[in-house]
Amino acid sequence: KRLEKSPGKADMEKADTIADLGRLEMRQGHYTEAEKLFEESLRIYETHKVIQEIAAVRNDQGSIYLSLG
């Protein structure tokens, strides 16, 4: 029996992984790299209109800007 992935599932998994990597970079104080990863994940989330994830990543970006002052 062949398991089929729903359209966009691979993209969502990729975006989730990229966002998680961004959060890891942010916790380590690597804000420039974190911002790049967040932007990459946002491109995917915005393509698929995943509002909750877009909001979460935007919140993470806000945390970076708050840390930078």
Side-chain angles (χ1 to χ4, degrees):
K1 188 175 184 181
R2 184 174 172 212
L3 295 175
E4 304 232 358
K5 290 187 175 185
S6 63
K9 183 169 173 42
D11 284 345
M12 292 301 93
E13 289 173 355
K14 179 179 178 181
D16 291 343
T17 300
I18 294 168
D20 287 344
L21 288 170
R23 290 179 187 107
L24 178 62
E25 292 290 349
M26 182 175 68
R27 284 187 204 109
Q28 294 177 345
H30 305 151
Y31 299 121
T32 301
E33 185 60 31
E35 177 62 19
K36 290 176 189 176
L37 291 164
F38 289 148
E39 285 298 323
E40 186 176 347
S41 68
L42 277 172
R43 281 192 291 279
I44 298 168
Y45 290 139
E46 289 172 347
T47 297
H48 295 283
K49 297 178 177 44
V50 186
I51 303 302
Q52 186 175 3
E53 296 302 327
I54 293 169
V57 173
R58 291 284 185 209
N59 185 62
D60 292 330
Q61 287 178 312
S63 294
I64 288 174
Y65 304 141
L66 186 62
S67 294
L68 293 175

